[in-house]
Amino acid sequence: MAGRARRPPPFRHVVLLLLGLAALIPATSRAQQQPRASVTVGLIIDADSPVGRIARTTIPMALDDFYAAFPNASARVRVVQHDSGGDVVAAASAALQLMTAQGARAILGPQSSAESAFVADLATRAEVPVVSFSATSPSVSASAAPFFARAALSDAAQAGAVAALVTYFGWRRVVPVYQDDDYGAAFVPFLVDALTAARAEVPYRCALPGGASKDAVAAAMSRLESEQTRAFVVHARPALAELVLAAAVEAGMMAQGYAWVITDGLTGLLGSIHPPQGIIGLVPHAPATPRLRDVRRRWARKFMREHRDADPAQAEMGCYALWAYDAAWAVASAAERLRPGDLSSPPGLVGGRSGPTDFSGLGKSTSGEKFLAAITNTTFDGLGGRFELVDGELAVPAFRVVNIMDDAKERSLGFWTPKHGLHRRLDGGASASNSGLAPVIWPDESLVVPIGWVQPTSGRKLRVAVPGDVDPAYRAIMHLDVDPATNRTVAGGFVIEVFEAAVRLLPYALPFEYVWVSSMRYDRLVEKVGNGDFDAAVADITITANRSQHVDFTLPFMSSGIAMVVPMRDQRNTRAWAFLKPLRYDLWLVSFVFLIFTGFVVWAVEHRVNTEFRGPPFYQIGTLLYFGFSTLVFAHRENLKSNLSRFVVVVWVFVVLILQSSYTASLTSMLTVPQLEPAIRDYTSLWLGADKVGIMNNSFMRASMTKSGFPPSRLEPYRATHSFHEALLNGTIGAIVDETPYLRIFLSAYCDNFTKTAQTNKTGGFGFAFPKGSPYVADLSRAILNLTESDGMSAIERKWFGDAEGCAAQGSQFTSDSLSFASFWGLFLITGATSLLCCAVHLATFLVVERRWISEVASTPHVPWKDRVWMLLKRFDHKDLSSHTFRAKDGGGPLAGRSADDAGASPGAAHIAAGSPLSVSNQTYDTSEWSFGAPSPAPASATGEIELAAGDEVAAEVAAAPNPIVSHDQTGTGHLASN
């Protein structure tokens, strides 16, 4: 049929099916047919040790997991294991056999640091990489053996974490308990340095040999129990650490008040050491990931299958298991990245032997260097965190701080990182809420933080040195008496009572006894305390930099400073010009200016309406000055006519009254009250003078003043206060330079004619001295602070020194300083403002009254401005005839006798016509008619009186002006517009 499709022949279906099956054949099957390179890697461990058991389970498991994750790997690591039994020689022999007979390209292990150091040296000569997952001692490193790589954390990395714990809990003394071999001894210097930086002390060390017996360990713990320190850091291998912790339990050292810290090497093997409850441990931080949980689950099952006699607590995958797993993974990964030619055995090595000392036969090649570079450059996310070798060392991410509970269980307290220190959460940053650690459960289930030390169980009392030979005048500061009947020492005084009060505030009992010492320089006493002759020194010892080099001082319980006591002398001024001293120069100057200014204002207001302020220029100037100065004694006689001038004078007289009263009081005080001032004002005057200076015997003042350049020949030491007093009175010394507590006692005893100058130099104050590193210093300092913050210190001070400063207050200077302008500027502001206001009002009134005349003068052409100003001043100088002061008592006024035309003229013309006449009678001049620029009048006849008409006065003024102003009225009569 034409429309039916034809079927393909059957053999074509078979061909297509075969081709499809061939395409589906996995590439892995073809790859499996290719030959894989085998890389021999040696493993040297102590098979019966806890770490050896962990390695036997972990390393094969890690390789299986690696090749399960990378099935196409071109190289396979074959592990050849050797058991060293913990012996260094056996480990070296195994390493030689692996590098020669068995062709190992790398070595995992050895287990201990001593073995690793020996094997690393051999491997470096043969250029075979050694990757250790358990040799944590700083004694072996890549810097000493270039072919050594540490896939574990160095013990030195946790020294900072231990120091941070010591600082956080406030422990001042820590005793390291360590194994005395390369593993333990190499860690102690790093720990001591970190503790010293944290201001903690290592008073003694407990070094135990690795093979110490149980009795030897018990004896060592008994010795530690009898000492003061109660904070311990254990760094040893599991076998020795188990003996130490067990002996500590038997000695009662796992009770309340003790603190134990174990390093990461023991925290990672808790199932092997069986630690008691309450210990703090450090664990390298491993991020919790699903992969880690899966590996831990499988590892625990495998470990228990391979070690059926093991304690189930040992089936916890600790830090050694994580490091071994990541080390094996790193070696496998490095082998995979190398070319097949780099993995072949060096020619002549396999099956060969070398002499016992000839290492040249090991046969070096570049493959070892490439393998080492591949291992050290390998980075990946391992079980223990980010695997990265920096200078052949595993980087330190963080440590986890744990609290060991029952059955070797861990309770997380927080984390420590080199950057942020201790904090509760690793991702919480450096916030305040994240700082610190969670509460710790200490030994004996105590929640109280151990203080780290106690009084020795031997019961020896603290021997406290107290100077006994004290002058009776200073018994208030300190005294020590011995009862001859009972031979009992009794101490008292301010210093002793403060010390005993501070001891009572300590959180523990502190037995002590006072030891009488003879009189000596305090520098020598401090040296005796530093040398161990005494356990402490309680006295009025000043804290100085030199003394602090020998001992440790508590915080000062009494502040102090260097001051000077000098005699007082009466400085009353008897000089001829003493009357000027009550007022300072600025007040004198301002008062003089305001006297003249007030007189000028009164003259300016009064001279147009008051004849007493008129006359010739010199007469008016004299009146101005006389009026101003006469107000100082209220003797002015001028009768003021204007209310403005009266207001000015009233305000000024009020100011003068206050100034006069203040001046009188100050002058009286200066001339009658004793002006007591120090004979030597300050240290500069003392330095430049020639007076001798009294100092306390056995005081540090001699060395201090001599060091500052003061002549030693001018220093006179005295012991008793009455000696100072006599020397000051008879002039042997001119001053006493000492610390303020002693001067306070001196002034309280001698209250007359002495004073204390302002102190210039602070001192460290009084403190209690203890040997260097004494734990009592911090506790007593804290007790002194508590005593100072409460009322206890004030009560003790009032008991021995009284409430007041005594003569220190009485010896203050009764001086009367001069009065200055700063005390009276407000008064001068008031009177000045008043005067200016009244003067401005008067001037404004004048301008308003004379506005027509001023406008005519201003509009007149061809008159220079200087002439216009001169005409205005003359106009201001004339009498104001419109004032009521010039009107006659009979009511006629000043216009009487004038013509009717003048009387009916304009105000301006009337004012001109009404010029005041100059009357001369009996050859006597009326000086009220004088004005600035007016010619002197001629004397009149003996029998007559001359009256000048207004027209004559106008003519004179017009003649004086260069361009008189003339205007014509309606009648055509010419006259001056206004005058």
Side-chain angles (χ1 to χ4, degrees):
M1 297 176 58
R4 182 176 300 179
R6 296 173 55 189
R7 294 183 178 179
F11 71 92
R12 296 184 61 183
H13 289 279
V14 176
V15 173
L16 292 176
L17 180 61
L18 292 176
L19 292 176
L21 292 174
L24 292 176
I25 295 176
T28 56
S29 62
R30 294 193 299 269
Q32 291 176 355
Q33 297 175 2
Q34 298 177 359
R36 293 186 178 92
S38 177
V39 180
T40 302
V41 175
L43 176 62
I44 304 176
I45 57 174
D46 182 1
D48 293 333
S49 67
V51 177
R53 292 186 175 188
I54 291 172
R56 282 161 45 187
T57 301
T58 306
I59 292 178
M61 180 179 177
L63 295 176
D64 292 342
D65 291 348
F66 178 83
Y67 292 117
F70 301 98
N72 296 329
S74 60
R76 292 279 177 169
V77 172
R78 183 175 64 90
V79 177
V80 178
Q81 178 180 324
H82 284 262
D83 184 5
S84 67
D87 184 69
V88 176
V89 177
S93 177
L96 286 175
Q97 185 177 358
L98 286 170
M99 290 184 293
T100 57
Q102 296 176 332
R105 310 309 305 142
I107 296 176
L108 286 170
Q111 181 175 320
S112 68
S113 299
E115 299 172 24
S116 297
F118 201 171
V119 172
D121 182 66
L122 295 176
T124 299
R125 300 189 183 191
E127 296 187 353
V128 175
V130 175
V131 182
S132 178
F133 54 86
S134 58
T136 59
S137 173
S139 61
V140 55
S141 63
S143 59
F147 275 76
F148 175 80
R150 195 197 318 271
L153 293 182
S154 173
D155 289 335
Q158 60 185 328
V162 175
L165 290 174
V166 171
T167 302
Y168 178 76
F169 293 115
W171 302 328
R172 296 300 180 185
R173 282 189 167 191
V174 179
V175 174
V177 181
Y178 60 96
Q179 186 166 327
D180 193 12
D181 59 6
D182 289 345
Y183 174 73
F187 169 67
V188 173
F190 294 93
L191 177 63
V192 172
D193 291 344
L195 293 175
T196 302
R199 304 188 67 179
E201 181 192 3
V202 179
Y204 36 87
R205 309 175 186 183
C206 181
L208 299 172
S213 63
K214 182 177 180 181
D215 294 338
V217 174
M221 293 299 103
S222 179
R223 288 192 298 269
L224 291 180
E225 193 274 337
S226 65
E227 299 291 345
Q228 296 180 346
T229 308
R230 292 295 182 263
F232 306 97
V233 177
V234 181
H235 183 72
R237 297 199 179 277
L240 180 60
E242 186 176 9
L243 291 178
V244 169
L245 297 178
V249 173
E250 293 180 359
M253 300 174 66
M254 287 294 174
Q256 184 175 355
Y258 286 86
W260 293 83
V261 178
I262 59 177
T263 55
D264 60 355
L266 298 177
T267 313
L269 300 171
L270 292 179
S272 301
I273 62 176
H274 307 288
Q277 181 267 339
I279 297 176
I280 294 180
L282 294 174
V283 182
H285 172 61
T289 60
R291 178 191 174 198
L292 177 59
R293 288 191 293 268
D294 174 68
V295 172
R296 276 181 170 170
R297 190 166 47 250
R298 294 188 292 110
W299 185 90
R301 291 196 299 265
K302 182 178 181 181
F303 183 84
M304 293 305 299
R305 285 196 308 267
E306 295 178 354
H307 311 283
R308 298 186 180 276
D309 58 340
D311 190 334
Q314 298 178 354
E316 291 290 336
M317 196 174 186
C319 60
Y320 288 110
L322 299 179
W323 292 335
Y325 189 97
D326 290 344
W329 190 286
V331 170
S333 178
E336 181 62 24
R337 292 202 306 273
L338 293 180
R339 293 176 299 181
D342 296 331
L343 298 175
S344 60
S345 300
L349 269 179
V350 178
R353 291 178 177 265
S354 61
T357 58
D358 184 12
F359 298 102
S360 60
L362 292 178
K364 302 179 182 180
S365 68
T366 58
S367 60
E369 295 180 356
K370 294 180 179 179
F371 202 1
L372 175 65
I375 294 173
T376 55
N377 294 330
T378 298
T379 58
F380 58 91
D381 292 328
L383 294 184
R386 185 67 178 172
F387 184 91
E388 182 178 4
L389 299 180
V390 179
D391 296 330
E393 302 276 348
L394 188 64
V396 183
F399 281 97
R400 187 163 57 95
V401 184
V402 296
N403 194 184
I404 309 302
M405 310 305 293
D406 292 333
D407 299 330
K409 299 297 182 181
E410 299 176 0
R411 173 175 166 265
S412 181
L413 300 176
F415 300 88
W416 177 87
T417 59
K419 182 178 181 180
H420 299 294
L422 294 173
H423 44 279
R424 296 197 177 190
R425 298 181 305 276
L426 194 60
D427 56 350
S431 62
S433 59
N434 191 39
S435 62
L437 300 174
V440 181
I441 300 177
W442 300 98
D444 203 14
E445 298 184 356
S446 173
L447 299 178
V448 180
V449 178
I451 62 175
W453 69 281
V454 293
Q455 182 67 22
T457 57
S458 59
R460 187 180 70 87
K461 294 183 178 180
L462 207 67
R463 300 178 69 250
V464 179
V466 178
D469 193 8
V470 179
D471 183 77
Y474 298 115
R475 288 180 64 85
I477 294 181
M478 177 189 60
H479 61 270
L480 185 68
D481 302 324
V482 179
D483 189 348
T486 61
N487 200 27
R488 181 171 176 266
T489 302
V490 179
F494 173 77
V495 175
I496 300 298
E497 193 160 343
V498 169
F499 175 73
E500 293 177 352
V503 170
R504 288 193 296 269
L505 292 178
L506 295 177
Y508 48 85
L510 180 60
F512 64 91
E513 60 179 356
Y514 294 119
V515 180
W516 185 92
V517 295
S518 59
S519 177
M520 67 177 69
R521 295 177 61 87
Y522 279 171
D523 292 340
R524 177 59 181 159
L525 178 60
V526 166
E527 291 177 0
K528 284 182 172 291
V529 174
N531 295 334
D533 296 343
F534 303 103
D535 297 325
V538 173
D540 50 335
I541 304 175
T542 303
I543 302 174
T544 63
N546 182 48
R547 292 171 180 174
S548 63
Q549 296 178 359
H550 304 282
V551 296
D552 284 342
F553 285 99
T554 62
L555 289 178
F557 58 86
M558 187 176 191
S559 60
S560 178
I562 300 175
M564 179 173 61
V565 168
V566 297
M568 299 287 291
R569 64 183 179 187
D570 190 359
Q571 301 288 343
R572 279 180 287 184
N573 203 328
T574 58
R575 294 178 299 177
W577 301 98
F579 68 91
L580 296 176
K581 192 175 181 181
L583 304 184
R584 280 183 51 182
Y585 70 91
D586 55 347
L587 187 55
W588 280 116
L589 181 62
V590 173
S591 301
F592 178 77
V593 171
F594 268 81
L595 282 172
I596 298 178
F597 175 68
T598 303
F600 171 78
V601 172
V602 172
W603 171 84
V605 175
E606 288 285 331
H607 87 285
R608 301 190 72 236
V609 298
N610 194 339
T611 57
E612 295 185 21
F613 288 88
R614 298 191 63 80
F618 289 104
Y619 177 83
Q620 297 188 46
I621 292 175
T623 302
L624 183 153
L625 296 176
Y626 170 77
F627 179 84
F629 282 95
S630 64
T631 56
L632 292 176
V633 293
F634 313 107
H636 52 285
R637 294 178 298 173
E638 289 78 6
N639 186 18
L640 303 181
K641 306 297 183 180
S642 174
N643 289 331
L644 293 175
S645 60
R646 291 171 182 172
F647 183 54
V648 170
V649 171
V650 167
V651 175
W652 171 245
V653 168
F654 174 73
V655 175
V656 169
L657 177 63
I658 296 177
L659 284 175
Q660 187 186 65
S661 302
S662 303
Y663 174 84
T664 304
S666 180
L667 181 62
T668 303
S669 174
M670 289 182 177
L671 297 179
T672 59
V673 178
Q675 305 295 309
L676 299 180
E677 294 182 0
I680 301 175
R681 290 184 173 274
D682 49 29
Y683 286 100
T684 302
S685 302
L686 177 67
W687 219 270
L688 299 177
D691 295 326
K692 291 191 175 183
V693 178
I695 60 174
M696 183 74 68
N697 192 27
N698 293 333
S699 172
F700 74 99
M701 290 304 305
R702 176 183 292 275
S704 178
M705 296 186 68
T706 304
K707 183 179 179 180
S708 61
F710 196 85
S713 59
R714 292 175 57 189
L715 298 177
E716 290 291 336
Y718 293 93
R719 179 181 177 185
T721 56
H722 66 84
S723 302
F724 284 113
H725 182 243
E726 294 174 357
L728 286 173
L729 291 180
N730 59 32
T732 304
I733 60 175
I736 305 173
V737 177
D738 212 332
E739 293 181 274
T740 50
Y742 308 114
L743 299 181
R744 180 177 177 181
I745 293 177
F746 174 83
L747 292 175
S748 64
Y750 304 99
C751 293
D752 298 330
N753 301 326
F754 299 104
T755 185
K756 181 179 69 174
T757 62
Q759 69 184 47
T760 57
N761 296 322
K762 282 286 187 180
T763 63
F766 294 163
F768 304 128
F770 289 86
K772 282 286 188 179
S774 174
Y776 298 104
V777 174
D779 295 326
L780 279 175
S781 297
R782 192 176 298 107
I784 291 173
L785 287 178
N786 293 331
L787 192 65
T788 304
E789 293 174 357
S790 65
D791 192 49
M793 186 70 75
S794 300
I796 298 174
E797 189 172 353
R798 287 193 299 268
K799 175 182 176 181
W800 293 101
F801 299 114
D803 294 327
E805 288 287 338
C807 194
Q810 301 179 19
S812 59
Q813 304 175 14
F814 291 97
T815 59
S816 180
D817 295 332
S818 300
L819 302 175
S820 64
F821 172 72
S823 303
F824 300 95
W825 69 270
L827 291 175
F828 287 105
L829 177 64
I830 294 174
T831 185
T834 302
S835 300
L836 289 176
L837 177 62
C838 293
C839 190
V841 171
H842 176 71
L843 182 61
T845 303
F846 169 75
L847 295 177
V848 171
V849 172
E850 302 293 342
R851 61 184 180 279
R852 292 181 56 191
W853 182 88
I854 293 175
S855 61
E856 292 177 358
V857 171
S859 60
T860 301
H862 309 297
V863 179
W865 65 271
K866 294 182 179 180
D867 295 337
R868 296 178 183 179
V869 172
W870 178 251
M871 294 174 63
L872 180 62
L873 292 178
K874 289 186 63 178
R875 188 75 172 183
F876 182 75
D877 183 51
H878 287 170
K879 286 183 178 180
D880 184 7
L881 297 179
S882 64
S883 173
H884 68 281
T885 58
F886 294 115
R887 296 172 185 171
K889 294 183 179 179
D890 57 359
L895 299 178
R898 295 181 59 182
S899 63
D901 294 339
D902 293 336
S906 63
H911 183 71
I912 296 173
S916 298
L918 175 65
S919 62
V920 182
S921 178
N922 296 327
Q923 298 183 359
T924 301
Y925 295 96
D926 185 1
T927 58
S928 63
E929 298 300 319
W930 288 84
S931 61
F932 292 107
S936 300
S941 64
T943 60
E945 185 181 53
I946 301 175
E947 292 186 0
L948 297 178
D952 295 336
E953 182 180 356
V954 172
E957 182 175 356
V958 172
N963 292 315
I965 304 172
V966 180
S967 63
H968 297 273
D969 55 13
Q970 295 176 357
T971 61
T973 303
H975 61 85
L976 191 63
S978 178
N979 189 16

